[in-house]
Amino acid sequence: MSTSALQIRGASFSAWLGRVFSERRAKYYFVVPTLLYLLLIGIFPLIFSFGLSFLNWDVAAQRPMSFAALANYAELMGDDRFWRTLLNTMIFAVVAVTLEIVFGFGLALLLNREIRGQTVFRVLLVLPMMATPVAVGYIWRMLYHVTNGPINHILRVLHLPMGTWLSDGSTSLMSVIITDIWQWTPFAFIILLAGLQSLPREPFEAAKVDGASSLQSLYYLTLPMIRPILSIVFLLRMVEAIKIFDIIYVMTAGGPGISTETSTMYAKLVSLTQFRLGYGAAIAYVLLILSIIVFIILTRVLPTEVEME
Amino acid sequence: MLKKASLFMTIMFGLSLVLAACAAPAPVTVRETVEVPGPERTVIVEVTPAPEAKMCDGVTVVAVTQPGPYIAGPLFDHADEWTELTGGQVEVLEVPYGDLYTQIMTSFTTGVHAYDILVVGATWLPDFTPYLVPLDDYIADPDTDPDWEDVLPAFREIIAKWEGKYYALTLDGDTHSLFYRRHLFEDATNQANFKAQYGYDLQVPETMDQLRDVAEFFTGWDWSGDGQDDYGWAQPMARGEQAHWWFWDFVAPYCVIPPGPEGPDQYRGQLYFDPETMEPLVNEPCMLKGLELYKEMTAFGPPGMEAWNVGEIRSGFPGTGNIAMTIEWGTFPGMCEDPAMADPTAIGDCGTAPRPGSLEVWDRENQTWLTLDEPNTAPLLNFGGWVGAVTQTSENPDCAYDFIKFLNSPEISAQDVVIGDTGFNVYRYSHVRDLTIWVDAWGAVAEQDAREYLDAVRADLENPNVLIDLRIPGKPEYIDSVLDLHVSSAIAGEEDLTEALQTTYDEWEEITERLGREDQKAFYRAMMGMD
């Protein structure tokens, strides 16, 4: 091959490279991997499971899958256990998240001032949030142990009636709610504390000059100004609480009876114990739709901007 | 410069020689006499023989089971010995019990090769058999026979078999027995007080009524002398914690009429379904009677027993020494004799007896109660035991089988069954006939405990009325999703007992319809050995 031929080839390769990596095209090369990742990891399972929800795929029956049309959804409408678990989920989410915000806000107000050992308090308060839910579940299961647990031991020492906690259907849901509050109040605390510290000082100083009490400042200034952050915390925690699984699975496995079984646990039971994959997918989809509805309602109802009279 | 470099090279060479000598095994010098042409002379040659090839050199088999120490422990313990013999390596994957079935089934249904060996509950075998290697050829081959005739028939012909083929080797033989603190029954004061209260002699319970009375008698007073009230009874009752096997212990003696010489029929030897119609038997009056007693026993256990799991029973009975009786698997006596686990007072004081029976049994055919002279016992092989199986996707099934065979061998299994926290219980004749292995392991103080334990196990296993765990497709749904839930609800007071059993019946019918009544009936009849 002659030198000139090589030069021509080299020039055309450079031109090809230039075309391939032109500024106009280069941006796609950065975006495409992310898009592929989203399609494969995020979108594909959603589409696949949506399709699955219209199939009858019962692995235990050792029969091939068949088209079920809307049969899975129709069955779900009449499935009392699903509705009961949904009720449990809603009670759990609303009570736990509300109390987490109340306690988290109280703690944030308490520590939003110059006090000695402030850093230590803050670190100690966020520790529960750092623990894995499975470990938290086991810890609280031991704490609640009726005969050997420290909670009942303290009650016994104080001559108070001992609780049956997880072993009684009337107290078990509240017991797991307390555990969730213990773990996730720090989340509300840390976000709300950051919110409080970002509030402007001038309105509070003006209110003080005008003779407003602390309670009046809290009600007329702090709450309206912090409301958007409260909304965000409520929203984020609600979305998480509706999906609760791990803590309850470890503590009660949904029992006694069905008293602590949540919808995600039921979906897991149907899909991965009974191996009714089509019906399990239908449950998962109904849960997803309900979560989206809750999310939309909350974003409409809850304020996202500061509203002051 | 050159001199320094050459000195450095010399040192490095010398060092590498030293290291090589340390790392490599010393060559074996063999003196041989060889004949060479010409006048006879002896030549000394040094040879290093090639290492003998082993059957599983370079092979790693992956086994999956529940986390140790129970069950997974022996796999880890014996892996190195097997490696020494065969050259193969074993990788043990531990999956929580609650997720074990799910994870294995997921790998099968998605076609992913994840495991060579399953060490799983025999009760799941029917669901897994489409993905397992039949072991009949291995067992029939004298070179790979696992001394199969030494395995007790129940664990050989029922537990390891499905539809006429062996799919697994037994690694554990499970059946429940009654365990009790012997000194309580030998105490003269207790005997007198019991007789005064109940009008008959205190004895190890042989009937369910006696069990109730004895449990009540030992509840609410300090018989252990630790200053706190003690309890007559303990059992796991939490949902999702295997409590359903205790439910069957309570209902079976009231429900199962022993089969005749020709084996089970429509009305005899049945606990779960009518084999002619596949109609569930769970709402029969005998089930209600058993469930009533099951619930009543909560009053004789520690507060909060409704949320107890098996681990709490094991720490409660031998551990704290404040529980008089329980029903448990054969893992239990080994724990009772282990100073690391048991209260000192419990060592040598753990009596064993077969589970109590009933003097009444429900005659389903004639819809009436039969009164008996001798207690009707219906020993259930609760869970059936853990078995080892080889997956069809294994690239080295011979090595996978060999590792299971090694664990199942009389020598290795005899080491495991005498230790409480292996989770492996007796399943060979050689285990139950040889008291010395037990006394050697537990000490002379436990000789009576060992003798009683072996007698109780043999009584169950030789009982013609022996029952097996439900083994049909959909078993996790029938039992874990439905029965366990409604029994738990009934105990928690969320459902009336009759309502709980009727709902279970209705939901079992729905499952059977969905999975195909005729198919399920065929599986059930095969499980019962009726076809």
Side-chain angles (χ1 to χ4, degrees):
Chain A
M1 193 177 286
S2 68
T3 314
S4 57
L6 278 175
Q7 281 171 342
I8 290 166
R9 283 216 161 172
S12 62
F13 181 68
S14 303
W16 178 78
L17 269 182
R19 277 201 309 277
V20 169
F21 290 104
S22 68
E23 197 174 323
R24 193 169 58 85
R25 289 186 175 186
K27 59 191 176 195
Y28 295 113
Y29 296 137
F30 291 104
V31 174
V32 164
T34 313
L35 273 177
L36 279 176
Y37 173 81
L38 276 176
L39 280 172
L40 283 172
I41 308 296
I43 310 294
F44 173 71
L46 270 180
I47 295 170
F48 180 78
S49 55
F50 186 63
L52 195 59
S53 71
F54 296 100
L55 296 178
N56 186 10
W57 190 5
D58 202 337
V59 176
Q62 298 178 3
R63 283 197 295 258
M65 67 176 90
S66 58
F67 184 60
L70 292 171
N72 288 327
Y73 290 96
E75 185 181 343
L76 190 59
M77 293 302 113
D79 186 342
D80 291 341
R81 185 165 173 180
F82 171 73
W83 295 111
R84 171 73 196 277
T85 61
L86 192 64
L87 180 66
N88 285 346
T89 309
M90 288 305 157
I91 293 171
F92 176 87
V94 171
V95 176
V97 173
T98 306
L99 291 176
E100 281 159 20
I101 288 176
V102 169
F103 294 142
F105 189 51
L107 287 169
L109 285 173
L110 207 64
L111 291 181
N112 185 32
R113 65 190 71 184
E114 291 301 322
I115 54 170
R116 288 184 66 176
Q118 194 177 35
T119 314
V120 176
F121 282 127
R122 285 179 190 175
V123 170
L124 286 176
L125 281 171
V126 298
L127 274 182
M129 196 175 74
M130 307 295 181
T132 60
V134 172
V136 169
Y138 277 114
I139 289 167
W140 277 85
R141 191 175 156 158
M142 285 189 281
L143 290 172
Y144 282 134
H145 198 281
V146 176
T147 47
N148 303 326
I151 295 176
N152 269 1
H153 179 73
I154 292 167
L155 292 174
R156 193 164 47 228
V157 168
L158 296 173
H159 299 288
L160 292 169
M162 292 192 293
T164 44
W165 311 117
L166 302 174
S167 54
D168 188 329
S170 61
T171 53
S172 52
L173 187 59
M174 190 47 68
S175 303
V176 293
I177 287 174
I178 290 170
T179 305
D180 194 77
I181 291 170
W182 177 83
Q183 180 166 35
W184 291 110
T185 293
F187 175 77
F189 157 71
I190 208 158
I191 303 279
L192 292 170
L193 181 63
L196 287 175
Q197 288 178 342
S198 67
L199 297 181
R201 288 181 178 275
E202 293 80 7
F204 293 94
E205 285 165 2
K208 202 170 184 181
V209 170
D210 289 347
S213 69
S214 302
L215 268 180
Q216 284 171 321
S217 287
L218 173 68
Y219 188 76
Y220 291 109
L221 291 176
T222 311
L223 275 176
M225 286 197 285
I226 202 83
R227 205 177 285 167
I229 299 170
L230 281 170
S231 303
I232 295 294
V233 174
F234 191 77
L235 202 64
L236 289 175
R237 282 297 306 136
M238 275 299 279
V239 170
E240 281 301 306
I242 287 172
K243 295 187 292 187
I244 185 73
F245 179 84
D246 29 32
I247 287 180
I248 300 181
Y249 186 70
V250 169
M251 292 179 73
T252 63
I258 207 171
S259 60
T260 57
E261 188 170 280
T262 59
S263 300
T264 45
M265 293 178 74
Y266 183 52
K268 187 258 181 190
L269 184 87
V270 168
S271 303
L272 297 173
T273 299
Q274 302 175 3
F275 272 92
R276 297 182 63 197
L277 301 181
Y279 189 50
I283 295 174
Y285 253 86
V286 169
L287 278 178
L288 177 69
I289 291 163
L290 288 173
S291 299
I292 291 169
I293 291 170
V294 170
F295 185 83
I296 291 170
I297 291 171
L298 289 178
T299 48
R300 292 272 169 100
V301 170
L302 296 172
T304 51
E305 288 177 11
V306 177
E307 294 169 8
M308 293 185 69
E309 291 170 8
Chain B
M1 182 70 189
L2 194 65
K3 197 176 173 183
K4 276 186 182 173
S6 102
L7 180 67
F8 175 72
M9 291 297 286
T10 310
I11 292 169
M12 291 307 290
F13 181 66
L15 256 177
S16 65
L17 282 178
V18 171
L19 286 173
C22 293
V28 178
T29 303
V30 179
R31 290 174 184 273
E32 288 185 351
T33 304
V34 295
E35 285 184 13
V36 294
E40 190 176 298
R41 58 188 174 136
T42 301
V43 178
I44 307 299
V45 292
E46 287 189 359
V47 294
T48 305
E52 192 181 327
K54 294 177 177 173
M55 72 172 281
C56 299
D57 275 337
V59 171
T60 298
V61 289
V62 179
V64 63
T65 191
Q66 74 158 21
Y70 306 114
I71 313 305
L75 273 68
F76 284 111
D77 292 345
H78 300 301
D80 288 346
E81 297 164 63
W82 184 73
T83 300
E84 186 72 23
L85 285 171
T86 65
Q89 301 286 328
V90 182
E91 186 184 338
V92 182
L93 301 180
E94 297 171 278
V95 176
Y97 176 81
D99 297 326
L100 189 57
Y101 174 90
T102 300
Q103 289 219 7
I104 294 170
M105 204 56 174
T106 305
S107 78
F108 286 150
T109 51
T110 54
V112 174
H113 167 62
Y115 322 109
D116 298 285
I117 295 170
L118 311 182
V119 176
V120 292
T123 183
W124 299 328
L125 212 52
D127 287 0
F128 294 158
T129 50
Y131 313 98
L132 300 179
V133 175
L135 304 180
D136 300 68
D137 291 344
Y138 288 109
I139 291 168
D141 185 339
D143 291 336
T144 50
D145 172 20
D147 203 352
W148 202 224
E149 289 303 310
D150 182 45
V151 175
L152 289 158
F155 298 118
R156 187 181 65 218
E157 298 303 319
I158 301 174
I159 294 304
K161 216 170 191 176
W162 183 245
E163 293 186 318
K165 288 183 180 172
Y166 297 114
Y167 282 97
L169 297 188
T170 316
L171 298 176
D172 163 44
D174 277 344
T175 182
H176 274 175
S177 300
L178 174 72
F179 297 97
Y180 62 95
R181 295 294 301 276
R182 188 181 301 107
H183 79 280
L184 295 175
F185 293 79
E186 293 171 349
D187 183 276
T189 310
N190 288 345
Q191 289 172 351
N193 291 342
F194 184 89
K195 186 153 191 177
Q197 192 170 338
Y198 295 96
Y200 63 94
D201 289 336
L202 174 64
Q203 64 174 46
V204 178
E206 291 179 358
T207 67
M208 285 295 178
D209 291 339
Q210 290 171 0
L211 182 77
R212 184 223 161 274
D213 290 347
V214 175
E216 182 184 50
F217 177 75
F218 285 115
T219 298
W221 55 285
D222 180 22
W223 48 257
S224 67
D226 65 356
Q228 292 183 2
D229 284 353
D230 298 314
Y231 307 101
W233 181 248
Q235 68 176 81
M237 297 185 117
R239 183 185 152 192
E241 298 286 356
Q242 313 184 48
H244 55 87
W245 279 299
W246 277 258
F247 166 77
W248 294 123
D249 288 334
F250 276 88
V251 299
Y254 294 115
C255 292
V256 184
I257 297 178
E262 292 176 1
D265 59 24
Q266 185 175 7
Y267 299 109
R268 291 171 178 271
Q270 304 298 340
L271 180 60
Y272 309 105
F273 293 97
D274 183 319
E276 301 300 325
T277 61
M278 208 48 199
E279 184 187 1
L281 306 181
V282 72
N283 64 344
E284 294 288 328
C286 55
M287 296 279 178
L288 180 62
K289 193 172 179 68
L291 182 57
E292 283 169 347
L293 179 58
Y294 180 90
K295 183 168 183 176
E296 190 182 2
M297 296 300 278
T298 58
F300 312 134
M305 193 171 73
E306 296 90 339
W308 275 30
N309 59 26
V310 178
E312 282 161 310
I313 303 300
R314 290 174 181 177
S315 61
F317 183 101
T320 61
N322 65 350
I323 293 163
M325 295 185 298
T326 187
I327 284 179
E328 246 277 20
W329 282 288
T331 298
F332 209 63
M335 293 175 168
C336 250
E337 313 305 340
D338 186 346
M341 293 183 180
D343 184 86
T345 61
I347 294 174
D349 189 46
C350 285
T352 312
R355 282 161 290 191
S358 166
L359 291 172
E360 294 176 294
V361 64
W362 177 244
D363 177 359
R364 189 160 50 89
E365 186 175 12
N366 299 303
Q367 294 289 298
T368 184
W369 285 97
L370 302 177
T371 306
L372 310 168
D373 295 329
E374 292 293 320
N376 176 53
T377 56
L380 173 68
L381 302 183
N382 312 61
F383 189 67
W386 291 81
V387 295
V390 179
T391 63
Q392 284 180 4
T393 54
S394 174
E395 290 178 358
N396 301 286
D398 291 351
C399 293
Y401 171 79
D402 196 75
F403 181 62
I404 303 169
K405 176 176 161 277
F406 181 70
L407 294 173
N408 165 278
S409 65
E411 299 76 21
I412 297 298
S413 63
Q415 295 171 27
D416 291 335
V417 295
V418 296
I419 300 170
D421 65 2
T422 60
F424 286 169
N425 306 153
V426 296
Y427 59 89
R428 283 182 172 275
Y429 284 114
S430 49
H431 299 157
V432 293
R433 284 177 180 158
D434 186 3
L435 187 65
T436 55
I437 61 169
W438 300 88
V439 177
D440 288 347
W442 294 355
V445 67
E447 184 171 343
Q448 189 176 350
D449 287 2
R451 185 175 291 111
E452 283 186 19
Y453 167 60
L454 296 180
D455 287 348
V457 172
R458 285 176 72 170
D460 270 3
L461 298 178
E462 289 167 6
N463 189 314
N465 200 11
V466 70
L467 298 161
I468 61 167
D469 207 12
L470 186 64
R471 297 174 85 198
I472 57 174
K475 187 253 178 179
E477 192 175 355
Y478 285 113
I479 302 296
D480 301 333
S481 303
V482 177
L483 178 82
D484 192 38
L485 165 69
H486 292 295
V487 169
S488 164
S489 291
I491 298 306
E494 292 201 322
E495 279 182 274
D496 170 67
L497 302 189
T498 310
E499 179 195 345
L501 293 176
Q502 186 56 43
T503 312
T504 304
Y505 172 94
D506 295 340
E507 293 184 12
W508 279 24
E509 279 283 84
E510 285 172 20
I511 298 167
T512 303
E513 281 299 324
R514 204 183 69 244
L515 298 181
R517 187 169 295 273
E518 288 307 311
D519 290 344
Q520 290 299 92
K521 192 168 89 177
F523 282 122
Y524 183 69
R525 291 178 68 88
M527 163 195 144
M528 296 301 297
M530 294 178 71
D531 287 329

